[in-house]
Structure formats: C-alpha cells, structure tokens
Amino acid sequence: MTLCVSPAVDEARWDAQLAALGSPIFHSPVWAHYVVADHSSLSPRYCSLLDDAGAVRGMALLFLEASRNPVLRWLSARMHCDAHPVVEANDTNLFVEMVRQLEAYAGDAGALEFTLGSFGTPGNRALLEQLGYDLKDRYEFVLPLDRTDDEMRAAMERRRRRTIQKAIDAGITVDLLPFEAGIRELRRLQEFTSERLKRKGAIVDFGPVRPPDEDPVGELVKGGYADLIGARHNGEWVSVSLYTKMNGLAYSTLAGHAPEAYELNAYTLLLWSTMRRYREEGFLRMNIGGVPASASEESSPDFGLYGYKAGLGGIRQACSTASKV
C-alpha cells in the first residue's frame, strides 16, 4: 500500500471517489475551501491510499497548521483531519494501515501533534487505542430519513411530538434562506448562543463576523453543499441552522438561536421540517450533531442537551477523536 499526498486535486474526480467510499463531506475539496477560508494558517493535504494496482482503497483530507516563520514552524506545526479516514468497505486492516501511513507522513512533515477528528465517522475506538492514541469520546445522533412521517413521529419521545405542535400553534414557520440574508441572521443569532454557552462555562469562538461576500460559509452554500434553514416568529428569525450535505448525509454544522426560540420550541419544529425536506430530496440520514460522552451522566452540564437529542428518535453513535503527540 502506498500513500499518495497532494496539496490539490481534480475536485470532480476526488468527489466521485469519496462517493464510492461513502465519505461524509469532511474529506471533500469544498470542505477544504471552507476551512482554509476561515483559518488562513491551514493548508490542505489530500491523501489517497493506493494498492499495488493503483486503485484507491482509502482517502483523507488533512490540514497542516504551521507558522510562516521557518523557526516557529518546527516548534508549533500540527496536522489534523476533521473526520476519520474513509476506507473501502470499512475494512479494519485498511483503516489501520492508512492511519499508520498518515501518522508517518505527519511526522515527516514536521508536525508535533496529529489529530483525527470524528465528525460523521463513528467507531474505530479499539483500533485507535491499540495504535496508541489519546481518545476523547463523543456521541452523535443520526436520524434515519427512509421513514414515513408517522414512523418518524413514533420514534420520538411524546413530549417532542407535543413541542412540534406547540411551535406550529405559536405561529412558527420554517423556510430555506438565501445566502446573504441567511448568513447575516445566523451570525446575529450565534451571538446569543455564544453568550448562553459562556454563562455555562463553555469556551466558544464562532470567529469574526465578516461581510457576507467574505464569510467562509459561502464556500459551502454557493457550491450547493449546504443550506441555511431558519425558523421565524412574527416576522423575525429566531433560529437558523447550517446543514452541510453530501453522499446521502445531511449534517447539522452550525446553528444560532435567539432566547425566545427555546420558549417557542422553534428549533424542534425546524428539525422536523428539515428532516422532511431532506427526505424528499433523497437523503438517507440527518446527523444532528454530538455531545461529549460524559453528557450521558446526570451530573454533566450537557445532560439536558443529550436527553433532547436522544429524544428525537435518532440512533446514538459512539465517536472517538484521537490525538497523538
């Protein structure tokens, strides 16, 4: 097996190969454009694991973070990807081989730390532990979309079904937003979300607010790889979410909520409407994001969020972010 690494690729061909492996968006060129637009210190590395016949057996998108100062570069360089590498048929031997080769490449490139994120890529915990990685465990919740309305409702907790109707009775409406209006509302609402999370002791950084034509989210939305969907009450947007979408998976990537959104149950109706929207568009799954594994414990400050996500009728998936110095 040979690892082939390049700073640029034929994007259409790369995406076709990702589709064959069933990869989420986090190894795609459009994700690379989005991340680099948001963090200019990062540069992408497209990695393919090739067999002796030259066939692609695994893929990963890495990001190198290194100072432009040649001295500091060797003191602070890091490399990461936002999801586990994807391999053919989820073969464990291929996965181990690819991780080993990615780690060796990161070391040769001067990275002092190598991290494998776990967005949309559950499993592999035991393999990563055997390879000597430090692990941070998470749970993500995935809603199957190959179901009727009645089946999706039946999978929800009763109180979640009630809050959907309460939101409808309160006059909440849900719509797809055009990019410029949508990104303005998302960034405005994220300020409320940031303040709420900081009061809970969380470290939050949504980045600087930019004009719409400079916002990195434009890379995703304008390319057709994401939607901005919002819930409105009395003419005001009270909740807006960004959903990325690729290879049958819609993924809740960013969100912002006004304080009244919680009282109005606006986000629950937004989720319900979005599930139905993506089902009609042919998507198979909708990932509504994750929480630390510790959130399943009643003593955790995230226990309420864990219970909320679990009550929406999704499948809990165990994910592990892995790091090695």
Side-chain angles (χ1 to χ4, degrees):
M1 293 287 178
T2 303
L3 186 70
C4 179
V5 182
S6 174
V9 291
D10 179 319
E11 297 189 0
R13 183 180 179 187
W14 182 271
D15 279 345
Q17 292 170 328
L18 285 181
L21 295 177
S23 171
I25 195 172
F26 308 107
H27 295 301
S28 69
V30 70
W31 185 257
H33 299 322
Y34 163 69
V35 170
V36 172
D38 201 26
H39 302 281
S40 60
S41 62
L42 300 179
S43 56
R45 298 292 186 271
Y46 296 91
C47 306
S48 300
L49 186 68
L50 308 180
D51 63 18
D52 293 340
V56 176
R57 307 292 298 280
M59 302 174 75
L61 170 64
L62 301 186
F63 293 99
L64 173 64
E65 180 179 8
S67 170
R68 294 180 181 178
N69 183 305
V71 175
L72 294 178
R73 179 176 302 170
W74 292 104
L75 297 174
S76 60
R78 293 176 173 82
M79 193 169 284
H80 81 275
C81 56
D82 289 318
H84 291 182
V86 291
V87 296
E88 186 177 76
N90 294 318
D91 184 285
T92 56
N93 292 326
L94 284 174
F95 181 82
V96 169
E97 176 66 19
M98 186 157 196
V99 170
R100 283 176 171 158
Q101 294 216 28
L102 291 173
E103 181 184 327
Y105 169 74
D108 291 343
L112 301 180
E113 183 177 4
F114 180 52
T115 299
L116 298 169
S118 55
F119 292 159
T121 46
N124 303 313
R125 189 187 196 283
L127 298 175
L128 292 167
E129 190 171 40
Q130 290 170 9
L131 290 169
Y133 282 82
D134 293 326
L135 303 177
K136 290 184 178 179
D137 295 322
R138 308 166 50 247
Y139 291 128
E140 289 188 340
F141 294 87
V142 178
L143 303 169
L145 300 182
D146 55 345
R147 301 182 292 182
T148 65
D149 283 3
D150 287 343
E151 288 170 335
M152 290 194 295
R153 285 195 188 96
M156 294 180 178
E157 291 180 349
R158 183 179 178 184
R159 58 178 172 172
R160 300 294 167 229
R161 298 195 295 269
R162 290 202 304 265
T163 56
I164 291 171
Q165 189 57 51
K166 286 181 180 179
I168 294 171
D169 294 343
I172 300 292
T173 58
V174 177
D175 292 294
L176 189 70
L177 284 81
F179 172 68
E180 288 200 6
I183 196 60
R184 285 195 182 98
E185 292 300 323
L186 173 64
R187 297 307 188 190
R188 178 182 68 83
L189 292 169
Q190 280 183 321
E191 294 182 12
F192 293 113
T193 299
S194 177
E195 289 302 316
R196 180 176 63 84
L197 293 175
K198 286 176 181 176
R199 287 196 297 270
K200 293 174 62 177
I203 299 174
V204 181
D205 181 13
F206 290 120
V209 177
R210 303 175 174 95
D213 60 346
E214 298 176 13
D215 197 293
V217 168
E219 298 283 353
L220 300 168
V221 176
K222 294 176 182 179
Y225 292 92
D227 293 318
L228 287 159
I229 300 175
R232 183 162 45 186
H233 182 250
N234 291 337
E236 295 290 331
W237 297 103
V238 295
S239 181
V240 173
S241 291
L242 173 77
Y243 290 89
T244 53
K245 49 186 187 177
M246 179 176 276
N247 297 334
L249 173 67
Y251 194 102
S252 179
T253 304
L254 294 173
H257 313 288
E260 60 267 31
Y262 302 95
E263 299 173 7
L264 296 165
N265 302 298
Y267 182 55
T268 306
L269 181 59
L270 189 155
L271 283 172
W272 170 249
S273 300
T274 303
M275 290 167 63
R276 301 175 74 207
R277 171 187 294 276
Y278 285 138
R279 181 190 62 190
E280 297 309 310
E281 291 183 12
F283 286 84
L284 302 176
R285 297 163 293 142
M286 191 170 94
N287 189 313
I288 56 174
V291 294
S294 60
S296 63
E297 302 169 5
E298 290 189 27
S299 59
S300 169
D302 294 313
F303 181 71
L305 180 59
Y306 172 88
Y308 176 82
K309 290 179 182 289
L312 290 166
I315 299 167
R316 191 185 80 172
Q317 296 185 334
C319 302
S320 296
T321 295
S323 297
K324 183 182 286 189
V325 175

mmCIF file of all heavy atoms in Angstrom, residues 250-286:
data_model
loop_
_atom_site.group_PDB
_atom_site.id
_atom_site.type_symbol
_atom_site.label_atom_id
_atom_site.label_comp_id
_atom_site.label_asym_id
_atom_site.label_seq_id
_atom_site.Cartn_x
_atom_site.Cartn_y
_atom_site.Cartn_z
ATOM 1 N N ALA A 250 -27.015 14.547 5.542
ATOM 2 C CA ALA A 250 -27.128 15.962 5.907
ATOM 3 C C ALA A 250 -26.623 16.093 7.337
ATOM 4 O O ALA A 250 -26.987 15.301 8.206
ATOM 5 C CB ALA A 250 -28.576 16.433 5.815
ATOM 6 N N TYR A 251 -25.784 17.109 7.584
ATOM 7 C CA TYR A 251 -25.086 17.213 8.866
ATOM 8 C C TYR A 251 -25.289 18.611 9.431
ATOM 9 O O TYR A 251 -24.975 19.614 8.784
ATOM 10 C CB TYR A 251 -23.598 16.930 8.659
ATOM 11 C CG TYR A 251 -22.812 16.683 9.927
ATOM 12 C CD1 TYR A 251 -22.470 15.387 10.307
ATOM 13 C CD2 TYR A 251 -22.402 17.727 10.744
ATOM 14 C CE1 TYR A 251 -21.728 15.136 11.467
ATOM 15 C CE2 TYR A 251 -21.673 17.496 11.902
ATOM 16 C CZ TYR A 251 -21.344 16.206 12.251
ATOM 17 O OH TYR A 251 -20.617 15.980 13.402
ATOM 18 N N SER A 252 -25.815 18.686 10.654
ATOM 19 C CA SER A 252 -26.000 19.968 11.328
ATOM 20 C C SER A 252 -24.637 20.512 11.735
ATOM 21 O O SER A 252 -23.987 19.974 12.626
ATOM 22 C CB SER A 252 -26.887 19.794 12.561
ATOM 23 O OG SER A 252 -27.060 21.024 13.233
ATOM 24 N N THR A 253 -24.204 21.589 11.073
ATOM 25 C CA THR A 253 -22.825 22.066 11.188
ATOM 26 C C THR A 253 -22.699 23.318 12.044
ATOM 27 O O THR A 253 -21.771 23.450 12.828
ATOM 28 C CB THR A 253 -22.251 22.312 9.779
ATOM 29 O OG1 THR A 253 -22.366 21.104 9.014
ATOM 30 C CG2 THR A 253 -20.793 22.733 9.830
ATOM 31 N N LEU A 254 -23.613 24.260 11.897
ATOM 32 C CA LEU A 254 -23.617 25.489 12.693
ATOM 33 C C LEU A 254 -25.066 25.840 13.026
ATOM 34 O O LEU A 254 -25.984 25.499 12.277
ATOM 35 C CB LEU A 254 -22.990 26.657 11.920
ATOM 36 C CG LEU A 254 -21.495 26.586 11.577
ATOM 37 C CD1 LEU A 254 -21.127 27.759 10.665
ATOM 38 C CD2 LEU A 254 -20.645 26.618 12.838
ATOM 39 N N ALA A 255 -25.257 26.567 14.128
ATOM 40 C CA ALA A 255 -26.605 27.000 14.497
ATOM 41 C C ALA A 255 -26.524 28.202 15.416
ATOM 42 O O ALA A 255 -25.538 28.405 16.128
ATOM 43 C CB ALA A 255 -27.377 25.872 15.174
ATOM 44 N N GLY A 256 -27.581 28.991 15.392
ATOM 45 C CA GLY A 256 -27.729 30.121 16.305
ATOM 46 C C GLY A 256 -29.188 30.273 16.679
ATOM 47 O O GLY A 256 -30.077 30.068 15.842
ATOM 48 N N HIS A 257 -29.450 30.630 17.950
ATOM 49 C CA HIS A 257 -30.824 30.694 18.431
ATOM 50 C C HIS A 257 -31.015 31.925 19.319
ATOM 51 O O HIS A 257 -30.183 32.205 20.195
ATOM 52 C CB HIS A 257 -31.174 29.449 19.245
ATOM 53 C CG HIS A 257 -30.758 28.163 18.598
ATOM 54 N ND1 HIS A 257 -31.392 27.653 17.498
ATOM 55 C CD2 HIS A 257 -29.748 27.299 18.900
ATOM 56 C CE1 HIS A 257 -30.812 26.515 17.154
ATOM 57 N NE2 HIS A 257 -29.812 26.290 17.980
ATOM 58 N N ALA A 258 -32.107 32.633 19.103
ATOM 59 C CA ALA A 258 -32.485 33.727 19.996
ATOM 60 C C ALA A 258 -33.037 33.132 21.292
ATOM 61 O O ALA A 258 -33.506 31.987 21.308
ATOM 62 C CB ALA A 258 -33.539 34.600 19.325
ATOM 63 N N PRO A 259 -33.000 33.896 22.393
ATOM 64 C CA PRO A 259 -33.508 33.356 23.666
ATOM 65 C C PRO A 259 -34.945 32.855 23.573
ATOM 66 O O PRO A 259 -35.287 31.821 24.161
ATOM 67 C CB PRO A 259 -33.394 34.553 24.619
ATOM 68 C CG PRO A 259 -32.282 35.380 24.049
ATOM 69 C CD PRO A 259 -32.397 35.242 22.561
ATOM 70 N N GLU A 260 -35.781 33.540 22.806
ATOM 71 C CA GLU A 260 -37.192 33.137 22.730
ATOM 72 C C GLU A 260 -37.401 31.864 21.918
ATOM 73 O O GLU A 260 -38.474 31.254 21.960
ATOM 74 C CB GLU A 260 -38.040 34.271 22.149
ATOM 75 C CG GLU A 260 -37.660 34.713 20.746
ATOM 76 C CD GLU A 260 -36.669 35.870 20.749
ATOM 77 O OE1 GLU A 260 -35.852 35.957 21.693
ATOM 78 O OE2 GLU A 260 -36.729 36.683 19.808
ATOM 79 N N ALA A 261 -36.376 31.452 21.180
ATOM 80 C CA ALA A 261 -36.515 30.234 20.368
ATOM 81 C C ALA A 261 -36.800 29.015 21.234
ATOM 82 O O ALA A 261 -37.525 28.099 20.819
ATOM 83 C CB ALA A 261 -35.251 30.011 19.542
ATOM 84 N N TYR A 262 -36.245 29.000 22.431
ATOM 85 C CA TYR A 262 -36.428 27.845 23.309
ATOM 86 C C TYR A 262 -37.850 27.809 23.870
ATOM 87 O O TYR A 262 -38.466 26.744 23.951
ATOM 88 C CB TYR A 262 -35.393 27.888 24.434
ATOM 89 C CG TYR A 262 -33.974 27.897 23.909
ATOM 90 C CD1 TYR A 262 -33.273 29.093 23.730
ATOM 91 C CD2 TYR A 262 -33.345 26.710 23.538
ATOM 92 C CE1 TYR A 262 -31.981 29.108 23.227
ATOM 93 C CE2 TYR A 262 -32.054 26.718 23.030
ATOM 94 C CZ TYR A 262 -31.378 27.926 22.870
ATOM 95 O OH TYR A 262 -30.109 27.936 22.353
ATOM 96 N N GLU A 263 -38.359 28.979 24.243
ATOM 97 C CA GLU A 263 -39.723 29.041 24.761
ATOM 98 C C GLU A 263 -40.744 28.685 23.685
ATOM 99 O O GLU A 263 -41.778 28.084 23.972
ATOM 100 C CB GLU A 263 -40.010 30.447 25.300
ATOM 101 C CG GLU A 263 -39.088 30.868 26.440
ATOM 102 C CD GLU A 263 -39.288 32.326 26.819
ATOM 103 O OE1 GLU A 263 -40.229 32.949 26.279
ATOM 104 O OE2 GLU A 263 -38.512 32.841 27.638
ATOM 105 N N LEU A 264 -40.435 29.032 22.445
ATOM 106 C CA LEU A 264 -41.361 28.798 21.339
ATOM 107 C C LEU A 264 -41.183 27.425 20.699
ATOM 108 O O LEU A 264 -41.933 27.082 19.780
ATOM 109 C CB LEU A 264 -41.170 29.881 20.274
ATOM 110 C CG LEU A 264 -41.507 31.315 20.682
ATOM 111 C CD1 LEU A 264 -40.943 32.309 19.675
ATOM 112 C CD2 LEU A 264 -43.028 31.470 20.789
ATOM 113 N N ASN A 265 -40.192 26.659 21.142
ATOM 114 C CA ASN A 265 -39.890 25.344 20.556
ATOM 115 C C ASN A 265 -39.572 25.445 19.066
ATOM 116 O O ASN A 265 -39.835 24.517 18.291
ATOM 117 C CB ASN A 265 -41.061 24.372 20.772
ATOM 118 C CG ASN A 265 -41.404 24.196 22.232
ATOM 119 O OD1 ASN A 265 -40.589 23.724 23.016
ATOM 120 N ND2 ASN A 265 -42.604 24.591 22.615
ATOM 121 N N ALA A 266 -38.965 26.576 18.691
ATOM 122 C CA ALA A 266 -38.713 26.833 17.279
ATOM 123 C C ALA A 266 -37.725 25.841 16.676
ATOM 124 O O ALA A 266 -37.888 25.396 15.527
ATOM 125 C CB ALA A 266 -38.194 28.263 17.108
ATOM 126 N N TYR A 267 -36.697 25.475 17.442
ATOM 127 C CA TYR A 267 -35.674 24.596 16.879
ATOM 128 C C TYR A 267 -36.220 23.191 16.630
ATOM 129 O O TYR A 267 -35.853 22.540 15.648
ATOM 130 C CB TYR A 267 -34.467 24.536 17.819
ATOM 131 C CG TYR A 267 -33.338 23.679 17.300
ATOM 132 C CD1 TYR A 267 -32.777 23.918 16.048
ATOM 133 C CD2 TYR A 267 -32.829 22.621 18.053
ATOM 134 C CE1 TYR A 267 -31.737 23.124 15.558
ATOM 135 C CE2 TYR A 267 -31.794 21.838 17.575
ATOM 136 C CZ TYR A 267 -31.255 22.086 16.332
ATOM 137 O OH TYR A 267 -30.245 21.304 15.856
ATOM 138 N N THR A 268 -37.110 22.719 17.493
ATOM 139 C CA THR A 268 -37.679 21.386 17.290
ATOM 140 C C THR A 268 -38.497 21.351 16.004
ATOM 141 O O THR A 268 -38.416 20.388 15.225
ATOM 142 C CB THR A 268 -38.549 20.982 18.484
ATOM 143 O OG1 THR A 268 -37.789 21.112 19.688
ATOM 144 C CG2 THR A 268 -39.015 19.542 18.351
ATOM 145 N N LEU A 269 -39.272 22.392 15.757
ATOM 146 C CA LEU A 269 -40.031 22.448 14.501
ATOM 147 C C LEU A 269 -39.092 22.584 13.314
ATOM 148 O O LEU A 269 -39.325 21.979 12.258
ATOM 149 C CB LEU A 269 -41.018 23.618 14.525
ATOM 150 C CG LEU A 269 -41.887 23.767 13.264
ATOM 151 C CD1 LEU A 269 -42.713 22.505 13.016
ATOM 152 C CD2 LEU A 269 -42.798 24.983 13.380
ATOM 153 N N LEU A 270 -38.005 23.345 13.476
ATOM 154 C CA LEU A 270 -37.014 23.464 12.409
ATOM 155 C C LEU A 270 -36.440 22.078 12.066
ATOM 156 O O LEU A 270 -36.324 21.710 10.885
ATOM 157 C CB LEU A 270 -35.907 24.428 12.827
ATOM 158 C CG LEU A 270 -34.879 24.847 11.761
ATOM 159 C CD1 LEU A 270 -34.270 26.205 12.124
ATOM 160 C CD2 LEU A 270 -33.754 23.833 11.605
ATOM 161 N N LEU A 271 -36.094 21.306 13.086
ATOM 162 C CA LEU A 271 -35.567 19.962 12.854
ATOM 163 C C LEU A 271 -36.585 19.085 12.137
ATOM 164 O O LEU A 271 -36.247 18.370 11.183
ATOM 165 C CB LEU A 271 -35.173 19.316 14.180
ATOM 166 C CG LEU A 271 -33.867 19.773 14.822
ATOM 167 C CD1 LEU A 271 -33.739 19.178 16.218
ATOM 168 C CD2 LEU A 271 -32.674 19.362 13.972
ATOM 169 N N TRP A 272 -37.813 19.112 12.598
ATOM 170 C CA TRP A 272 -38.859 18.287 11.995
ATOM 171 C C TRP A 272 -39.053 18.644 10.520
ATOM 172 O O TRP A 272 -39.103 17.757 9.651
ATOM 173 C CB TRP A 272 -40.151 18.461 12.777
ATOM 174 C CG TRP A 272 -41.361 17.853 12.124
ATOM 175 C CD1 TRP A 272 -42.421 18.509 11.588
ATOM 176 C CD2 TRP A 272 -41.633 16.454 11.955
ATOM 177 N NE1 TRP A 272 -43.332 17.622 11.089
ATOM 178 C CE2 TRP A 272 -42.879 16.348 11.302
ATOM 179 C CE3 TRP A 272 -40.944 15.292 12.295
ATOM 180 C CZ2 TRP A 272 -43.453 15.123 10.979
ATOM 181 C CZ3 TRP A 272 -41.521 14.061 11.964
ATOM 182 C CH2 TRP A 272 -42.758 13.989 11.320
ATOM 183 N N SER A 273 -39.121 19.930 10.235
ATOM 184 C CA SER A 273 -39.316 20.368 8.851
ATOM 185 C C SER A 273 -38.116 20.012 7.979
ATOM 186 O O SER A 273 -38.269 19.635 6.806
ATOM 187 C CB SER A 273 -39.554 21.883 8.805
ATOM 188 O OG SER A 273 -40.702 22.239 9.555
ATOM 189 N N THR A 274 -36.913 20.109 8.563
ATOM 190 C CA THR A 274 -35.695 19.805 7.807
ATOM 191 C C THR A 274 -35.575 18.315 7.531
ATOM 192 O O THR A 274 -35.142 17.901 6.449
ATOM 193 C CB THR A 274 -34.464 20.313 8.564
ATOM 194 O OG1 THR A 274 -34.616 21.727 8.808
ATOM 195 C CG2 THR A 274 -33.193 20.098 7.765
ATOM 196 N N MET A 275 -35.965 17.488 8.484
ATOM 197 C CA MET A 275 -35.995 16.046 8.247
ATOM 198 C C MET A 275 -36.869 15.721 7.041
ATOM 199 O O MET A 275 -36.474 14.951 6.147
ATOM 200 C CB MET A 275 -36.535 15.325 9.489
ATOM 201 C CG MET A 275 -35.626 15.320 10.696
ATOM 202 S SD MET A 275 -36.481 14.793 12.216
ATOM 203 C CE MET A 275 -36.952 13.111 11.810
ATOM 204 N N ARG A 276 -38.028 16.300 6.992
ATOM 205 C CA ARG A 276 -38.958 16.022 5.894
ATOM 206 C C ARG A 276 -38.423 16.581 4.577
ATOM 207 O O ARG A 276 -38.561 15.950 3.522
ATOM 208 C CB ARG A 276 -40.329 16.597 6.226
ATOM 209 C CG ARG A 276 -40.924 16.021 7.511
ATOM 210 C CD ARG A 276 -42.211 16.704 7.874
ATOM 211 N NE ARG A 276 -43.292 16.299 7.001
ATOM 212 C CZ ARG A 276 -44.356 17.053 6.723
ATOM 213 N NH1 ARG A 276 -44.458 18.274 7.234
ATOM 214 N NH2 ARG A 276 -45.302 16.609 5.937
ATOM 215 N N ARG A 277 -37.792 17.751 4.622
ATOM 216 C CA ARG A 277 -37.224 18.356 3.412
ATOM 217 C C ARG A 277 -36.164 17.442 2.808
ATOM 218 O O ARG A 277 -36.174 17.144 1.618
ATOM 219 C CB ARG A 277 -36.612 19.720 3.746
ATOM 220 C CG ARG A 277 -35.801 20.348 2.593
ATOM 221 C CD ARG A 277 -35.092 21.608 3.027
ATOM 222 N NE ARG A 277 -36.014 22.660 3.348
ATOM 223 C CZ ARG A 277 -36.556 23.485 2.440
ATOM 224 N NH1 ARG A 277 -36.233 23.373 1.163
ATOM 225 N NH2 ARG A 277 -37.389 24.421 2.815
ATOM 226 N N TYR A 278 -35.223 17.003 3.654
ATOM 227 C CA TYR A 278 -34.122 16.205 3.125
ATOM 228 C C TYR A 278 -34.579 14.799 2.735
ATOM 229 O O TYR A 278 -34.008 14.187 1.832
ATOM 230 C CB TYR A 278 -32.973 16.163 4.128
ATOM 231 C CG TYR A 278 -32.191 17.460 4.165
ATOM 232 C CD1 TYR A 278 -31.775 18.022 5.365
ATOM 233 C CD2 TYR A 278 -31.885 18.132 2.989
ATOM 234 C CE1 TYR A 278 -31.061 19.216 5.388
ATOM 235 C CE2 TYR A 278 -31.171 19.321 3.005
ATOM 236 C CZ TYR A 278 -30.772 19.859 4.208
ATOM 237 O OH TYR A 278 -30.078 21.044 4.216
ATOM 238 N N ARG A 279 -35.586 14.289 3.389
ATOM 239 C CA ARG A 279 -36.148 13.005 2.953
ATOM 240 C C ARG A 279 -36.673 13.119 1.528
ATOM 241 O O ARG A 279 -36.420 12.242 0.691
ATOM 242 C CB ARG A 279 -37.272 12.574 3.893
ATOM 243 C CG ARG A 279 -37.899 11.238 3.514
ATOM 244 C CD ARG A 279 -39.149 10.983 4.336
ATOM 245 N NE ARG A 279 -40.169 11.993 4.094
ATOM 246 C CZ ARG A 279 -41.283 12.130 4.810
ATOM 247 N NH1 ARG A 279 -41.495 11.312 5.835
ATOM 248 N NH2 ARG A 279 -42.162 13.074 4.539
ATOM 249 N N GLU A 280 -37.390 14.208 1.254
ATOM 250 C CA GLU A 280 -37.946 14.388 -0.087
ATOM 251 C C GLU A 280 -36.846 14.609 -1.123
ATOM 252 O O GLU A 280 -37.031 14.307 -2.304
ATOM 253 C CB GLU A 280 -38.927 15.570 -0.092
ATOM 254 C CG GLU A 280 -40.143 15.361 0.798
ATOM 255 C CD GLU A 280 -40.853 14.035 0.534
ATOM 256 O OE1 GLU A 280 -41.129 13.751 -0.645
ATOM 257 O OE2 GLU A 280 -41.099 13.286 1.494
ATOM 258 N N GLU A 281 -35.691 15.121 -0.701
ATOM 259 C CA GLU A 281 -34.572 15.326 -1.622
ATOM 260 C C GLU A 281 -33.728 14.064 -1.805
ATOM 261 O O GLU A 281 -32.761 14.067 -2.567
ATOM 262 C CB GLU A 281 -33.680 16.469 -1.118
ATOM 263 C CG GLU A 281 -34.344 17.834 -1.190
ATOM 264 C CD GLU A 281 -33.422 18.967 -0.767
ATOM 265 O OE1 GLU A 281 -32.195 18.712 -0.636
ATOM 266 O OE2 GLU A 281 -33.910 20.087 -0.562
ATOM 267 N N GLY A 282 -34.106 12.999 -1.108
ATOM 268 C CA GLY A 282 -33.424 11.728 -1.296
ATOM 269 C C GLY A 282 -32.297 11.432 -0.330
ATOM 270 O O GLY A 282 -31.583 10.435 -0.498
ATOM 271 N N PHE A 283 -32.135 12.256 0.694
ATOM 272 C CA PHE A 283 -31.099 11.974 1.680
ATOM 273 C C PHE A 283 -31.547 10.833 2.588
ATOM 274 O O PHE A 283 -32.737 10.675 2.864
ATOM 275 C CB PHE A 283 -30.783 13.222 2.500
ATOM 276 C CG PHE A 283 -29.983 14.238 1.737
ATOM 277 C CD1 PHE A 283 -30.602 15.153 0.900
ATOM 278 C CD2 PHE A 283 -28.599 14.257 1.818
ATOM 279 C CE1 PHE A 283 -29.875 16.066 0.167
ATOM 280 C CE2 PHE A 283 -27.858 15.163 1.091
ATOM 281 C CZ PHE A 283 -28.492 16.074 0.267
ATOM 282 N N LEU A 284 -30.578 10.061 3.050
ATOM 283 C CA LEU A 284 -30.868 8.867 3.840
ATOM 284 C C LEU A 284 -30.765 9.103 5.332
ATOM 285 O O LEU A 284 -31.415 8.412 6.121
ATOM 286 C CB LEU A 284 -29.910 7.735 3.444
ATOM 287 C CG LEU A 284 -29.939 7.327 1.961
ATOM 288 C CD1 LEU A 284 -28.882 6.274 1.692
ATOM 289 C CD2 LEU A 284 -31.323 6.829 1.574
ATOM 290 N N ARG A 285 -29.915 10.058 5.744
ATOM 291 C CA ARG A 285 -29.660 10.285 7.161
ATOM 292 C C ARG A 285 -29.479 11.770 7.427
ATOM 293 O O ARG A 285 -29.018 12.504 6.566
ATOM 294 C CB ARG A 285 -28.386 9.552 7.605
ATOM 295 C CG ARG A 285 -28.420 8.047 7.498
ATOM 296 C CD ARG A 285 -27.022 7.465 7.545
ATOM 297 N NE ARG A 285 -26.247 7.844 6.367
ATOM 298 C CZ ARG A 285 -24.957 8.146 6.374
ATOM 299 N NH1 ARG A 285 -24.272 8.134 7.508
ATOM 300 N NH2 ARG A 285 -24.339 8.456 5.262
ATOM 301 N N MET A 286 -29.827 12.190 8.639
ATOM 302 C CA MET A 286 -29.573 13.556 9.082
ATOM 303 C C MET A 286 -28.893 13.491 10.438
ATOM 304 O O MET A 286 -29.467 12.989 11.413
ATOM 305 C CB MET A 286 -30.859 14.371 9.159
ATOM 306 C CG MET A 286 -30.601 15.867 9.371
ATOM 307 S SD MET A 286 -32.096 16.860 9.169
ATOM 308 C CE MET A 286 -32.660 16.968 10.866
#
